[in-house]
Amino acid sequence: MDKSLSDFGINDVPELLLDNVDAIIIVDPAIDSYKTITRKGFFEKFLKETGSYHDLILDLWFHFNDSSEKVSEDYQIFADNTGDFNCKYSRRLKIALDGEEQSHLVQLTVYPFDDNSKYLFILDEFIDNESLQESLTTKKINTIQSSYLFSMYIDLVQDTTSSINVTEISDDVVNYNLKYSEWRMMIVNMFLPEDQEQFLRRTDPEYLKKNFTPGRTSSYDCMMCNLEGKYIWVKLIFSRAQTNNDEDYRFVFLVQDIHENSIEILSTLKKYEEMAITDPLTGVYNHGEIETQLHNALTLRQKFDDPVSIMILDLDRFKNINDTYGHSVGDTTLKSFAKILKDFAVEEKAAVGRWGGEEFVIVCYEKNADEVLALAENLRKTVEAQEFPEIGHITCSIGVTELNSDDDFNGAFNRIDKALYESKQNGRNKVTIL
């Protein structure tokens, strides 16, 4: 029988709640436990009768939006700082069950007991069109702001964090009971080891106080582990609040996903770097880069005991090819010759470059005089046996030397150049070592 408004009293509230609320949970954080009082609809599958409060927090918060997939274990360490409540708390959640395409939009309200020792969780699923429309609108807004993975408000004086939002987890801010000093030491492990020192330096409270005037914003790029456990390029942004109080040290901190753009930039930089050091005709190092490789080899030899040897190679009677067949065939011959040298360099972990014209230099790391002499002889035989397009067979002369710890650049290069000259003088198609 329908009751009039005046007929309702306090004794009716428990029954009304049980009839209309989808789930009620009692939580005891002290013993990491919860008990479900009532559950309806999809909550019958989602909630257990009893369980770990830590696991409940992971199920409610630490999964990707519109997915049941959990975030990486590295980020689950924040779960224990998420479930502490000192006052009433309310927020929306998106919960997805395994095997279901559509996530459930849920309103969570938390009521701490008088002594804050236990909590009452009340959960309701929104299923009306208005709620779904609100969810779609929020999703559109998030699409615009999706590049910002993380944001929070910091008060250095109070050593607090607040208004924390992790966009891949939730549309709303998440309640954390976490000091800024604690957050720094927890999040530092999410960065590449080589970036951790910089992160700690740039987020140090004293650094922020010293380097940020009111209203100033600064950022830097680094690699950070995302919620899936993969390292991506991000931009860390700190902005100090605009205030007239010089002792007010409040900041907004943002993490922006710049991975795709950074990969594209790095790829472009790599392309231009390769263009700057590569001989455009043959694809091996150009003169400037192979000269740098020679200088580096000398430095390595002077610092360490590992042997390093170098060789210079010259195609015999190459001028006759240009004069007889034309420069186009000459270019094709140089490309074929360089291909032989590149294959050798890859196999022997050597560096090969075009010194100029038909002369090429190879830096052979961890090879002594006897070893590089044998390699040079094999190269000579390979070139001699090669069938080059249009011209048939051609030979090369080679000069070889092992670097000494007291060598300078001119002395070492003059030695292999002299060895090459002797190979030419002694009939060509020969290897000479000095």
Side-chain angles (χ1 to χ4, degrees):
M1 181 183 295
D2 289 340
K3 298 168 67 174
S4 66
L5 195 60
S6 60
D7 292 331
F8 286 97
I10 189 68
N11 293 329
D12 296 304
V13 173
E15 183 179 351
L16 290 170
L17 279 173
L18 290 173
D19 288 343
N20 291 282
V21 172
D22 290 330
I24 300 176
I25 307 170
I26 302 295
V27 172
D28 188 344
I31 60 173
D32 184 32
S33 182
Y34 75 87
K35 178 182 179 181
T36 302
I37 305 301
T38 185
R39 49 185 172 162
K40 302 173 187 175
F42 91 96
F43 288 107
E44 292 183 355
K45 295 180 180 179
F46 179 73
L47 293 172
K48 300 176 182 178
E49 289 187 9
T50 61
S52 161
Y53 181 43
H54 174 86
D55 293 343
L56 177 65
I57 292 297
L58 291 180
D59 290 338
L60 291 175
W61 272 277
F62 288 82
H63 57 83
F64 292 97
N65 251 331
D66 299 320
S67 170
S68 61
E69 182 184 356
K70 297 292 187 295
V71 302
S72 69
E73 291 185 6
D74 289 336
Y75 281 91
Q76 292 178 15
I77 61 173
F78 292 101
D80 293 333
N81 302 100
T82 304
D84 292 337
F85 301 95
N86 298 318
C87 56
K88 296 176 185 177
Y89 175 75
S90 182
R91 62 165 296 180
R92 289 177 305 172
L93 303 170
K94 284 185 178 179
I95 299 174
L97 295 178
D98 289 335
E100 293 187 4
E101 293 184 3
Q102 182 68 44
S103 60
H104 300 264
L105 185 62
V106 173
Q107 182 69 37
L108 165 68
T109 306
V110 179
Y111 297 91
F113 286 25
D114 288 341
D115 59 357
N116 292 332
S117 63
K118 297 179 180 63
Y119 311 133
L120 176 69
F121 276 32
I122 295 179
L123 299 99
D124 276 302
E125 180 182 9
F126 291 116
I127 57 174
D128 58 281
N129 291 332
E130 183 177 348
S131 299
L132 291 174
Q133 184 62 41
E134 180 184 1
S135 174
L136 291 174
T137 302
T138 303
K139 192 168 186 178
K140 289 180 181 178
I141 295 173
N142 280 348
T143 300
I144 299 172
Q145 300 177 340
S146 61
S147 67
Y148 291 98
L149 301 175
F150 178 89
S151 63
M152 73 176 180
Y153 204 55
I154 301 164
D155 189 325
L156 297 182
V157 176
Q158 300 297 325
D159 190 23
T160 58
T161 60
S162 60
S163 299
I164 296 176
N165 179 237
V166 185
T167 57
E168 290 182 278
I169 293 180
S170 170
D171 302 331
D172 302 324
V173 297
V174 179
N175 181 66
Y176 282 92
N177 182 21
L178 191 61
K179 293 181 178 180
Y180 175 67
S181 55
E182 294 174 344
W183 171 83
R184 286 180 66 234
M185 303 314 298
M186 294 171 72
I187 203 74
V188 65
N189 296 317
M190 311 308 175
F191 295 89
L192 284 175
E194 54 265 38
D195 290 332
Q196 292 178 7
E197 182 179 351
Q198 180 179 212
F199 171 78
L200 290 175
R201 180 176 60 85
R202 296 285 290 266
T203 60
D204 182 84
E206 295 307 314
Y207 175 90
L208 294 173
K209 291 177 182 178
K210 179 180 178 181
N211 292 280
F212 283 76
T213 55
R216 187 194 171 191
T217 299
S218 181
S219 66
Y220 73 96
D221 302 344
C222 61
M223 294 200 77
M224 182 181 185
C225 188
N226 68 5
L227 297 181
E228 297 177 5
K230 300 176 182 177
Y231 283 102
I232 63 171
W233 280 100
V234 298
K235 183 181 293 292
L236 304 186
I237 306 168
F238 274 88
S239 181
R240 183 177 171 183
Q242 183 71 56
T243 175
N244 293 324
N245 181 4
D246 290 340
E247 300 302 317
D248 185 350
Y249 293 103
R250 288 174 295 159
F251 289 78
V252 173
F253 172 65
L254 297 170
V255 177
Q256 184 180 16
D257 182 354
I258 59 169
H259 189 69
E260 289 188 9
N261 188 50
S262 295
I263 293 300
E264 184 177 344
I265 290 173
L266 291 172
S267 176
T268 301
L269 289 173
K270 184 66 175 176
K271 181 178 71 174
Y272 282 109
E273 178 188 354
E274 290 177 354
M275 289 174 60
I277 65 175
T278 302
D279 176 61
L281 176 65
T282 62
V284 299
Y285 286 142
N286 58 22
H287 178 97
E289 180 59 22
I290 196 61
E291 184 173 336
T292 298
Q293 294 286 333
L294 279 169
H295 282 288
N296 292 341
L298 282 166
T299 301
L300 286 173
R301 183 64 187 88
Q302 290 162 2
K303 286 186 176 181
F304 306 102
D305 291 332
D306 294 336
V308 181
S309 298
I310 55 177
M311 65 174 82
I312 186 167
L313 307 92
D314 183 272
L315 282 173
D316 296 327
R317 297 187 173 89
F318 181 72
K319 184 177 182 300
N320 292 341
I321 295 174
N322 282 331
D323 292 343
T324 304
Y325 299 94
H327 288 280
S328 177
V329 173
D331 288 348
T332 300
T333 303
L334 288 175
K335 290 178 185 178
S336 299
F337 183 51
K339 175 66 166 56
I340 295 172
L341 304 186
K342 280 195 290 186
D343 291 343
F344 165 82
V346 169
E347 185 175 344
E348 299 297 334
K349 297 180 180 179
V352 56
R354 185 181 180 191
W355 193 253
E358 66 273 21
E359 286 187 345
F360 292 77
V361 170
I362 301 179
V363 180
C364 301
Y365 300 98
E366 300 180 5
K367 297 289 189 298
N368 60 31
D370 291 337
E371 291 171 321
V372 80
L373 181 62
L375 292 173
E377 185 61 30
N378 286 335
L379 259 180
R380 184 195 64 77
K381 293 178 181 177
T382 300
V383 173
E384 184 181 28
Q386 178 75 26
E387 183 80 23
F388 286 83
E390 297 194 48
I391 67 169
H393 294 278
I394 191 173
T395 61
C396 70
S397 300
I398 305 176
V400 175
T401 192
E402 180 180 349
L403 298 181
N404 302 315
S405 58
D406 58 352
D407 271 332
D408 60 15
F409 178 82
N410 290 330
F413 188 81
N414 288 338
R415 203 159 60 243
I416 57 166
D417 198 42
K418 184 179 179 182
L420 174 63
Y421 179 78
E422 290 190 13
S423 292
K424 292 282 190 181
Q425 290 295 106
N426 291 329
R428 298 181 176 85
N429 192 26
K430 287 183 169 33
V431 176
T432 303
I433 186 167
L434 290 178

